[in-house]
Amino acid sequence: MKAKETRALFQDIPFLRRFSRKAVFCPLLALLLCGAVAGAAAGGTFDFFHSGQVLPLFFSGIPDPQGGFFPCFSTLLLNMLIGLILLFLLGMTAFGVAAVPAFIFLKGVTVGLGVLSFFTVDGLSGLGRAACTYTPVTALASLLLLLFATRTMVFSKRLAKAGFSPQEESLNFRRYLMDFFLFLSFAVMAALVGGLLAVLYGSIFTS
């Protein structure tokens, strides 16, 4: 009876609770922030930007306003899609419990490097550009990744338990897949907003 109740609870968890469990979300948020600090510190210690060029995709999807809307949109979207797909695949394995926190920390490192790159290349004006074109969409993308990472952590943990449980566990893969597609649609909307912000900044501040 207890096993049946557990399976039912797992399959019928309300939408918001699937992505906002504090016991999972808060540690992941802390790892993201620590990664951002570590990335900024590493970027300041080592000369990562000596060439004066920043690879848009490598540094957490930095859009180039001079490239127009579609390049900005595609850069942001591709970066978010890579993160969501990796999290989805990690959630399908028992190793996701350890791999997802590591991924979130590395994501924070790229965010820290991305913010620092603006200052290194353009000084204070670069920080203003980061505040207008990079920080808003990066914060939104990070929130999406944190929420979905929470979902993948829970799913991976249940998957690991199912592998060692003498009783058959019923994991709702269909709902997990639907949640993944839902976050893909959120990523499209976030990239759309980020692309528009980048183009707006370019049209106002770039001659």
Side-chain angles (χ1 to χ4, degrees):
M1 182 65 181
K2 184 178 180 180
K4 292 183 178 179
E5 291 177 353
T6 302
R7 292 196 296 268
L9 176 63
F10 179 63
Q11 294 183 10
D12 298 324
I13 294 175
F15 176 79
L16 292 179
R17 285 187 56 198
R18 293 203 300 272
F19 304 98
S20 59
R21 295 192 173 189
K22 293 182 179 180
V24 180
F25 180 85
C26 291
L28 290 178
L29 175 60
L31 282 174
L32 181 72
L33 296 176
C34 289
V37 173
T45 303
F46 304 101
D47 190 9
F48 289 155
F49 312 101
H50 63 277
S51 64
Q53 301 294 326
V54 177
L55 295 178
L57 181 60
F58 181 77
F59 290 115
S60 196
I62 297 176
D64 181 12
Q66 297 180 353
F69 171 76
F70 184 74
C72 293
F73 170 79
S74 59
T75 296
L76 294 168
L77 180 61
L78 181 59
N79 187 266
M80 283 186 279
L81 290 182
I82 290 174
L84 290 173
I85 291 172
L86 284 175
L87 286 174
F88 174 79
L89 294 177
L90 290 174
M92 296 288 289
T93 70
F95 303 103
V97 176
V100 169
F103 171 79
I104 292 297
F105 178 81
L106 291 177
K107 179 64 179 178
V109 171
T110 64
V111 171
L113 287 172
V115 173
L116 183 65
S117 70
F118 283 93
F119 177 75
T120 303
V121 175
D122 296 324
L124 292 178
S125 62
L127 291 180
R129 183 161 65 92
C132 295
T133 64
Y134 179 72
T135 306
V137 68
T138 299
L140 183 57
S142 298
L143 178 60
L144 290 178
L145 289 177
L146 282 172
L147 291 173
F148 193 67
T150 302
R151 176 72 163 110
T152 60
M153 281 278 289
V154 174
F155 193 85
S156 178
K157 184 178 180 180
R158 294 298 179 95
L159 186 64
K161 287 184 177 180
F164 294 99
S165 175
Q167 298 180 348
E168 182 180 355
E169 291 285 341
S170 177
L171 301 177
N172 198 332
F173 288 100
R174 182 176 179 273
R175 174 164 290 177
Y176 182 63
L177 182 62
M178 293 300 295
D179 289 339
F180 172 66
F181 285 128
L182 178 63
F183 270 73
L184 290 182
S185 65
F186 289 159
V188 172
M189 290 185 285
L192 178 63
V193 173
L196 291 174
L197 286 176
V199 171
L200 180 62
Y201 177 89
S203 63
I204 294 177
F205 296 100
T206 303
S207 57

